Amino acid sequence: MRVVIVGNGMVGYKFCEKMAARNTHGQYELTVFGEEARPAYDRVHLSEFFAGKSANDLLLADAGWYASRGIVLHLGDPVQRIDRGSKTVYSHKGLAVPYDYLVLATGSSAFVPPIPGIEKNGVFIYRTIEDLELIGSWAKRTRKGTVIGGGLLGLEAAKALLDLGIRDTSVVEFAPRLMPRQVDEAGAQLLQLKLEALGLSIHTSKSTSAILGDEAVTGLSFADGTVLDTDMIVVSAGIKPRDELAKACGIATGTRGGIVVNDFLQTSDDAVYAIGECALHREMIYGLVAPGYEMAEVVAAQLGGDEKTFTGFDMSTKLKLIGIDVASFGNPFSCEAGTRTIVLNDGINGFYKRVNITADGKHLLGGVLVGDASQYNMLLQTCKNKLVLPPNPEDIILGARGGESAEAGVASLPDDAYICSCESVSKGAICQAIESGEETTEALKKCTKAGTGCGGCLPMVKDLLNHTLKAQGRYIRNVICEHFQYSRQELYDLVKLHELKSYEAVLDKLGTGDGCELCKPSVASLLASLWNEMILQKGNDTAQDSNDRFLANIQKGGTYSVVPRVPGGEITPDKLIIIGQVAKKYHLYTKITGGQRIDLFGAHLSDLPLIWKELIDAGFESGHAYGKALRTVKSCVGSTWCRFGLHDSVSFAIRIEERYRGLRAPHKIKSAVSGCIRECAEAQSKDFGIIATEKGWNLYVCGNGGSKPQHALLLATDLDEATCIRYIDRFLMFYIKTADPLTRMAVWLNKMEGGIDYLRNVVVSDSLGMAAQLEAEMQLLVDSYRCEWKEAVENPEIRKRFNHFVNAPEEKDPSISFDAMREQKRAKEWK
Amino acid sequence: MTAMETMAWFPACSVDDVPANGGVCVKCGEEQIALYHFTRRNEWYATQNECPHRRQMVLSRGMIGSQNDEPKVACPFHKKTFSLVTGECLNDSECALKTYPVRVEAGRVFIGIGV
């Protein structure tokens, strides 16, 4: 069967992909004509072109992909004419290719309103990579930019202008609000406020009457008589389906454009199909990628003899506009009588949520989310599948207050609910994959393709995985990886019992196979927690995680950053000068960290020992910023200077930091000491934090900043310093012994049966009778501390490893390069 | 065998230069090749040093190991793993590594490069 595809955009590519997958016996001969010089690329993420992505990064597949699947690809060669009588297409370059079936995926072009002056230099559209290149080169001489159109694409274009460094960017919208098709009045208002806070000027209810300027644009005038100065204009006022080819050969098109198709996506000629933005289905043009992909699937299925039709597509969308979540689903506006609306407009936290509900309060009809769209997936599924709402329907946007977890939500979905709308993967398909033995999200992505598009559904896929496994009674044994059939806690006890000191010895005695990137760092970490030996000896160097292996943090481009320890954040002027001198000598970028230290970036691997030699000679030591270890103990200035300070928080922070420095644990540990309840050191956001009281110190544990902030909980009150340290000793050792790999303390506590009360019993009341042992073990680690960088610098065998080339140790990696930025440098953006 | 005969063998380093169960980067003209000594399996492997995911010259610093007995290396940046035998990416099929044959003679390690 000869299939010719006209158009190589995202939907045209998706069709090729679907056809290639079905082309098991070489029964299809596929020929593609594309107008642009490049193979199909990702237009959805076009603005990333200015954020550092290259044209190649945006490609969906390179020319080799088509060739290896036997697809003939003609690029830069648009089809000029279709002869339906002889079933042949004629291309610009003179090719004549016969077809059995023709698929039109010609897409759309930008709609350019007929405004006087629209032809002036400096007026652009925003559609292809070429458009972007033109915009990019013009932007260099531009101070003021304007986007006409405040819809989805217009705001994307505005982001692109900001990325190009045009600080003074305006958006002009004809309608009284932004994104009039997706968002309601109140939501648009919040969106506008947020965009204005980012520096965009927004002008709504503005009808552009003329574009001003001689040859090049200098401004716009509006119907209301006002004028806006600008050096460039990007027009993004909508799309126009590319139906000219169809029209010319007599295929039916709509009065306002678009190739008319039926539910089979056939045009008025049943050997010709149309898919994507050029197709007019039931009076509707779909300007989104997901319905286009669905159309590609429908046509591929039909050509393969399967029954499949297209009956419309949900236009729900979720996107991030310049960092702001915006989502709209179902019917966002609900005008029918009797529908109820719940609105949550949080001016303080900056989000707006609206849901429309049926009169009986049972079903969700649609809604709008601005500022926080984390509930989008669940709401969309609830809406699409007509799930019955909880008795207090406001819970669905307020979040359940006590009880009910989100997991119940996944369970209640029917099997045909689409979990991944990019790839149209249903809940049933995912469950089936799990039942046939897949046990990880990675594996599910690979076999079902769910989550490989925008990735927004991955949390649901994960919930679904856990839920299905649990429902099947499949026991998820908490083992480290395929090489060790033990949990970390079991392994810790066994390694101690057998007194094993190297990764190889542990693998020989307790594991199978050759190890991997999961068990190696876990075992290396617990060896360090148990014996506190130099981590790069006894062959343990190659078992360390990337950063530990070179005692530094690897950064973009393959250079490293260096963080000397600054206990409590206290540092002398002389030491500051040394850091400055070292940074200058080795051309390092310097930045103050969140933990009151100084980070030096951009060090070549071979410079690390030289840098550390100088730092150590000046009295510095490793800050373990690279390790799953104690990082910093932050402090406020405390009673030595502060008029509110109750105790000397700096001295106590230094004492704590020096006690636990180098302590390796299942994950990194951060701490802080505040001198009074004003809490300037933010101790309650740390793994353990200490706050001065009138009578002593309060000890808080298991807080967390990071992606899921959580306040630390009060473990004990009004402690003297010695008792406080004893409790911390016990607490830290208990964590090190029992936590799973890479589990921060907050998560560890959340999973602990009995929670903080149980933990308090263990640490304060010694309910397990382990307190003395825990303290003794900690004392052993404290006594055996040595600065590992000092040992590395002094050991020629270890130093030898700090070269990029084994056969040219004096040479640095020539692929490393930097860009200048604010009188310093930055890593070159990666591809 | 004809393929072997047309192979040029680049002298990379001595056996002792490579850490046990780890890798080093070899400069071979303008090319960077990651050379691994899988001591546990008594095997040598060589691949391109560049991780194709973000085009970073770091695979020689990656951790090596096995997955269902298939020897592999994990990139330090995002833990993409690649088969040391075929170069194939084990997380997704989108990119692969170039691999090279390795020969050890009298304590010296040689990497086979096409001529």
Side-chain angles (χ1 to χ4, degrees):
Chain A
M1 184 191 291
R2 294 168 303 183
V3 182
V4 171
I5 300 125
V6 184
N8 189 225
M10 294 182 79
V11 172
Y13 163 76
K14 184 54 75 177
F15 180 72
C16 292
E17 191 187 288
K18 302 276 182 197
M19 288 301 284
R22 289 170 171 269
N23 201 6
T24 43
H25 308 95
Q27 68 271 42
Y28 301 120
E29 276 176 46
L30 301 170
T31 307
V32 182
F33 285 92
E35 183 176 63
E36 290 183 59
R38 319 188 150 75
Y41 51 85
D42 183 355
R43 256 184 249 278
V44 175
H45 296 104
L46 210 50
S47 65
E48 288 176 20
F49 185 71
F50 291 134
K53 280 211 173 180
S54 75
N56 273 342
D57 295 328
L58 291 173
L59 285 190
L60 295 171
D62 59 16
W65 181 90
Y66 297 87
S68 66
R69 282 157 184 77
I71 302 172
V72 181
L73 178 64
H74 299 292
L75 291 174
D77 191 10
V79 168
Q80 297 289 58
R81 189 165 69 83
I82 301 166
D83 183 343
R84 294 199 283 134
S86 65
K87 288 193 168 184
T88 307
V89 298
Y90 296 91
S91 81
H92 177 70
K93 290 184 183 162
L95 296 173
V97 179
Y99 63 81
D100 296 313
Y101 289 99
L102 182 65
V103 177
L104 299 174
T106 46
S108 66
S109 55
F111 166 67
V112 181
I115 304 167
I118 197 92
E119 71 293 341
K120 290 192 198 307
N121 291 338
V123 181
F124 300 92
I125 54 172
Y126 182 81
R127 198 73 195 139
T128 65
I129 288 184
E130 275 67 34
D131 296 335
L132 263 60
E133 283 168 349
L134 291 173
I135 291 171
S137 60
W138 187 272
K140 292 192 187 106
R141 43 192 153 144
T142 299
R143 284 181 314 108
K144 291 183 168 186
T146 301
V147 175
I148 299 183
L152 214 147
L153 265 178
L155 294 177
E156 276 282 318
K159 172 184 191 302
L161 294 189
L162 288 180
D163 283 343
L164 282 167
I166 305 174
R167 292 271 173 89
D168 193 349
T169 293
S170 304
V171 174
V172 174
E173 168 60 43
F174 179 76
R177 61 172 191 266
L178 293 172
M179 299 187 69
R181 282 163 184 234
Q182 291 90 1
V183 180
D184 64 355
E185 181 64 45
Q189 247 175 36
L190 177 67
L191 176 62
Q192 179 166 348
L193 277 177
K194 290 194 157 223
L195 291 170
E196 282 168 349
L198 292 170
L200 282 177
S201 311
I202 312 278
H203 309 272
T204 53
S205 299
K206 288 280 184 192
S207 163
T208 310
S209 54
I211 290 170
L212 309 174
D214 295 328
E215 283 202 355
V217 52
T218 57
L220 301 98
S221 69
F222 301 113
D224 61 7
T226 53
V227 166
L228 177 68
D229 289 342
T230 192
D231 307 323
M232 82 183 286
I233 294 174
V234 177
V235 179
S236 188
I239 57 168
K240 204 171 64 184
R242 296 279 302 268
D243 58 5
E244 65 274 9
L245 208 51
K247 217 178 214 164
C249 68
I251 288 174
T253 55
T255 42
R256 277 179 297 163
I259 306 165
V260 177
V261 291
N262 59 19
D263 284 358
F264 300 104
L265 301 173
Q266 280 165 324
T267 64
S268 55
D269 176 340
D270 56 18
V272 181
Y273 292 85
I275 57 176
E277 291 178 329
C278 67
L280 181 66
H281 176 262
R282 298 189 191 175
E283 293 300 304
M284 182 80 181
I285 296 279
Y286 289 92
L288 293 176
V289 70
Y293 281 5
E294 175 64 14
M295 290 182 188
E297 166 64 23
V298 167
V299 176
Q302 281 179 52
L303 294 182
D306 294 339
E307 276 286 305
K308 196 157 190 186
T309 55
F310 183 85
T311 51
F313 203 88
D314 185 67
M315 291 296 275
S316 304
T317 36
K318 174 184 152 185
L319 63 156
K320 240 192 169 60
L321 281 170
I322 323 181
I324 305 165
D325 274 345
V326 180
S328 140
F329 59 95
N331 178 352
F333 308 122
S334 83
C335 13
E336 294 108 61
T339 53
R340 293 159 49 187
T341 296
I342 301 175
V343 168
L344 179 61
N345 198 345
D346 184 337
I348 293 173
N349 294 307
F351 60 78
Y352 171 80
K353 299 177 180 184
R354 163 190 179 152
V355 287
N356 310 315
I357 291 169
T358 51
D360 59 8
K362 286 216 166 102
H363 299 289
L364 181 60
L365 296 168
V368 176
L369 306 169
V370 177
D372 170 17
S374 53
Q375 290 146 319
Y376 171 75
N377 272 321
M378 209 51 236
L379 291 174
L380 176 63
Q381 295 302 339
T382 307
C383 174
K384 270 190 181 173
N385 297 296
K386 305 201 164 46
L387 298 185
V388 176
L389 295 172
N392 302 313
E394 67 274 17
D395 282 1
I396 58 175
I397 47 174
L398 285 171
R401 285 151 296 173
E404 287 301 299
S405 73
E407 224 183 50
V410 186
S412 62
L413 293 177
D415 270 358
D416 56 0
Y418 278 140
I419 299 293
C420 170
S421 31
C422 297
E423 292 286 340
S424 311
V425 187
S426 67
K427 176 185 166 187
I430 294 172
C431 290
Q432 211 172 11
I434 300 167
E435 276 155 26
S436 65
E438 305 296 356
E439 290 190 341
T440 64
T441 30
E442 272 306 310
L444 287 173
K445 273 169 82 175
K446 216 169 170 174
C447 82
T448 64
K449 293 203 112 182
T452 56
C454 70
C457 63
L458 283 175
M460 283 181 87
V461 173
K462 207 166 174 189
D463 279 352
L464 202 52
L465 176 67
N466 288 338
H467 188 268
T468 313
L469 286 178
K470 228 186 259 170
Q472 289 180 331
R474 249 145 99 188
Y475 175 54
I476 320 161
R477 203 179 138 76
N478 195 11
V479 300
I480 291 188
C481 69
E482 66 176 70
H483 305 104
F484 288 95
Q485 291 305 304
Y486 298 107
S487 69
R488 183 183 172 280
Q489 186 176 354
E490 291 164 337
L491 208 52
Y492 180 96
D493 292 334
L494 287 167
V495 170
K496 187 174 182 196
L497 183 73
H498 294 290
E499 291 188 34
L500 304 172
K501 307 236 165 141
S502 73
Y503 173 76
E504 288 292 298
V506 176
L507 185 58
D508 285 340
K509 182 95 192 165
L510 304 169
T512 55
D514 306 311
C516 68
E517 72 280 2
L518 297 175
C519 60
K520 282 187 173 187
S522 289
V523 171
S525 158
L526 66 83
L527 285 171
S529 294
L530 273 169
W531 316 118
N532 212 11
E533 293 181 324
M534 167 63 186
I535 63 167
L536 299 182
Q537 288 176 333
K538 300 196 172 164
N540 287 336
D541 53 344
T542 51
Q544 302 295 340
D545 217 337
S546 347
N547 288 347
D548 274 317
R549 172 148 182 222
F550 296 105
L551 307 178
N553 297 50
I554 195 163
Q555 307 289 357
K556 273 184 185 170
T559 61
Y560 288 85
S561 62
V562 169
V563 187
R565 188 169 293 289
V566 179
E570 179 186 271
I571 188 164
T572 62
D574 281 335
K575 279 189 156 176
L576 277 174
I577 289 168
I578 297 287
I579 288 185
Q581 285 169 342
V582 169
K584 262 187 142 167
K585 182 167 172 188
Y586 295 94
H587 309 289
L588 305 174
Y589 165 83
T590 51
K591 186 178 185 309
I592 310 284
T593 70
Q596 302 186 337
R597 320 204 268 188
I598 299 171
D599 207 339
L600 312 169
F601 291 80
H604 286 274
L605 183 58
S606 54
D607 284 341
L608 287 175
L610 304 172
I611 291 168
W612 274 106
K613 175 83 175 56
E614 296 197 21
L615 290 172
I616 286 163
D617 288 347
F620 285 102
E621 56 183 9
S622 169
H624 296 90
Y626 45 80
K628 304 302 178 204
L630 180 88
R631 298 282 173 87
T632 78
V633 182
K634 194 174 159 179
S635 70
C636 69
V637 73
S639 60
T640 51
W641 293 90
C642 175
R643 66 203 156 112
F644 298 118
L646 294 172
H647 309 306
D648 180 0
S649 48
V650 180
S651 296
F652 198 29
I654 294 173
R655 186 174 168 194
I656 300 278
E657 182 158 343
E658 290 186 338
R659 180 169 181 81
Y660 303 115
R661 65 190 161 185
L663 178 72
R664 282 197 155 70
H667 213 309
K668 63 183 169 190
I669 301 172
K670 296 179 177 181
S671 179
V673 183
S674 276
C676 77
I677 196 57
R678 284 170 191 76
E679 245 285 66
C680 294
E682 298 164 331
Q684 290 166 95
S685 68
K686 304 297 181 193
D687 295 285
F688 67 96
I690 301 163
I691 301 175
T693 67
E694 296 280 349
K695 297 180 200 148
W697 303 96
N698 279 356
L699 176 58
Y700 291 80
V701 293
C702 301
N704 206 173
S707 61
K708 255 194 153 180
Q710 185 170 324
H711 276 140
L713 298 175
L714 187 60
L715 187 80
T717 51
D718 297 328
L719 306 170
D720 58 65
E721 286 196 11
T723 311
C724 188
I725 284 178
R726 274 187 17 241
Y727 285 178
I728 299 170
D729 279 2
R730 298 174 187 176
F731 165 72
L732 289 175
M733 276 320 294
F734 188 55
Y735 166 67
I736 288 171
K737 277 170 171 288
T738 61
D740 281 334
L742 300 179
T743 304
R744 287 291 290 273
M745 283 179 190
V747 180
W748 170 66
L749 180 67
N750 294 347
K751 285 189 188 167
M752 190 182 292
E753 249 174 80
I756 185 73
D757 296 326
Y758 174 78
L759 184 63
R760 190 180 294 114
N761 264 333
V762 172
V763 172
V764 179
S765 321
D766 192 15
S767 61
L768 299 179
M770 287 173 73
Q773 182 202 338
L774 295 173
E775 283 173 38
E777 284 170 342
M778 179 59 83
Q779 195 56 47
L780 207 74
L781 295 178
V782 171
D783 293 340
S784 56
Y785 165 80
R786 279 158 303 166
C787 169
E788 55 203 16
W789 257 116
K790 186 163 189 292
E791 292 183 276
V793 166
E794 288 168 357
N795 182 328
E797 270 309 300
I798 294 178
R799 264 186 96 143
K800 180 175 134 183
R801 300 289 178 215
F802 287 82
N803 286 315
H804 184 68
F805 292 116
V806 68
N807 55 341
E810 67 292 343
E811 285 181 42
K812 288 172 176 157
D813 178 2
S815 74
I816 291 174
S817 61
F818 305 99
D819 286 332
M821 192 186 218
R822 287 186 294 275
E823 294 168 62
Q824 294 201 68
K825 65 179 181 183
R826 53 159 295 173
K828 197 133 203 122
E829 194 50 55
W830 57 19
K831 310 261 168 58
Chain B
M1 281 313 284
T2 44
M4 294 297 278
E5 280 153 25
T6 58
M7 192 66 79
W9 292 96
F10 179 82
C13 57
S14 77
V15 168
D16 300 338
D17 289 335
V18 187
N21 296 305
V24 291
C25 175
V26 176
K27 183 180 160 77
C28 177
E30 293 305 299
E31 236 174 314
Q32 296 195 20
I33 300 176
L35 171 68
Y36 316 89
H37 189 188
F38 214 138
T39 327
R40 238 192 121 71
R41 300 166 69 106
N42 199 22
E43 286 162 358
W44 288 83
Y45 296 99
T47 69
Q48 67 187 60
N49 192 36
E50 184 185 79
C51 175
H53 172 222
R54 287 291 189 183
R55 319 247 330 248
Q56 302 283 304
M57 285 292 185
V58 285
L59 288 177
S60 59
R61 302 177 204 166
M63 253 178 280
I64 60 174
S66 67
Q67 178 175 325
N68 300 322
D69 210 39
E70 172 102 9
K72 63 171 185 174
V73 60
C75 174
F77 274 103
H78 305 96
K79 296 275 148 67
K80 290 250 177 205
T81 56
F82 300 91
S83 161
L84 289 171
V85 180
T86 63
E88 182 196 355
C89 180
L90 301 173
N91 311 101
D92 53 54
S93 48
E94 269 153 39
C95 48
L97 301 182
K98 193 173 169 188
T99 59
Y100 305 82
V102 182
R103 203 167 76 182
V104 179
E105 242 169 60
R108 302 288 305 169
V109 189
F110 299 84
I111 299 175
I113 48 174
V115 283

